[in-house]
């Protein structure tokens, strides 16, 4: 036996509770990779939000111009083929602070632009079981002019994508 105002307030509260419980998609960079490339420290970001039945893109900036880049997409930020993450590329000739913080079950290769930018669009299907799924990303860029880096490979920070509704 609620009054009209109480019914409106009750409905508003139920809507707010539903909104707060709805899983939202997110893209969150993590890790401490400050790997120096020939054009500065390359960065990872996203355009759009990972959500069901939508597109988002993983972007790369400040990379070597007109070079090859690989977006690593993985299911773990803890280990990759039994090796603990982050993987320090300095151990195999990479530069200081060049780290891989995501497993790489999938590698997508692209060319960077003449300004050192690249983007990989990703489509999230409309499959309810995907809500809450986490994917991890790191860009690797061929950069033969990277300072103190005989491997010629630089990395971005890593990032986590969480699929939302």
């Amino acid at each position: 036996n609620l009054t009209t105002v109480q019914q409106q307030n009750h409905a508003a509260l139920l809507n707010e509770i539903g909104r707060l419980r709805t899983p939202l998609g997110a893209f969150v960079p993590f890790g401490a990779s400050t790997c120096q490339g020939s054009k500065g420290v390359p960065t990872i970001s996203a355009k759009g939000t990972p959500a069901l039945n939508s597109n988002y893109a993983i972007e790369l900036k400040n990379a070597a111009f007109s070079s090859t880049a690989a977006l690593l997409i993985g299911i773990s930020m803890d280990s990759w083929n039994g090796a603990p993450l982050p993987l320090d590329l300095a151990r195999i000739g990479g530069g200081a602070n060049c780290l891989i913080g995501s497993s790489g079950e999938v590698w997508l290769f692209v060319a960077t632009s003449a300004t050192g930018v690249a983007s990989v669009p990703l489509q999230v299907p409309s499959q309810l079981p995907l809500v809450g799924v986490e994917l991890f990303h790191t860009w690797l860029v061929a950069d033969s002019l990277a300072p103190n880096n005989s491997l010629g490979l630089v990395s971005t920070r890593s990032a986590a994508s969480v699929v939302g509704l």
Side-chain angles (χ1 to χ4, degrees):
N1 296 6
L2 299 176
T3 68
T4 302
V5 171
Q6 289 172 329
Q7 288 175 0
Q8 290 171 345
N9 289 339
H10 182 260
L13 283 172
L14 288 178
N15 284 337
E16 182 64 11
I17 288 169
R19 186 189 69 76
L20 291 172
R21 287 184 176 168
T22 300
L24 300 176
F27 181 86
V28 182
F30 67 89
S33 182
T34 55
C35 185
Q36 185 70 37
S38 60
K39 304 303 177 195
V41 176
T43 62
I44 188 170
S45 61
K47 184 175 186 178
T49 302
L52 295 185
N53 198 34
S54 70
N55 295 310
Y56 73 108
I58 309 296
E59 299 186 329
L60 169 67
K61 296 178 183 164
N62 300 329
F65 302 161
S66 303
S67 186
T68 301
L71 176 63
L72 279 64
I73 301 175
I75 58 173
S76 178
M77 61 183 282
D78 298 316
S79 66
W80 184 14
N81 290 330
L85 294 172
L87 175 65
D88 187 353
L89 295 177
R91 296 187 328 203
I92 57 172
N97 300 313
C98 293
L99 306 172
I100 298 175
S102 60
S103 60
E105 283 78 18
V106 175
W107 291 52
L108 301 175
F109 291 89
V110 297
T112 63
S113 71
T115 59
V117 173
S119 181
V120 171
L122 299 172
Q123 168 70 39
V124 181
S126 186
Q127 305 279 328
L128 200 53
L130 292 175
V131 173
V133 167
E134 295 178 322
L135 294 174
F136 301 95
H137 315 283
T138 305
W139 281 103
L140 294 177
V141 183
D143 190 343
S144 61
L145 301 177
N148 303 311
N149 187 327
S150 61
L151 183 62
L153 193 62
V154 297
S155 62
T156 62
R157 292 176 68 191
S158 296
S161 291
V162 182
V163 177
L165 288 175

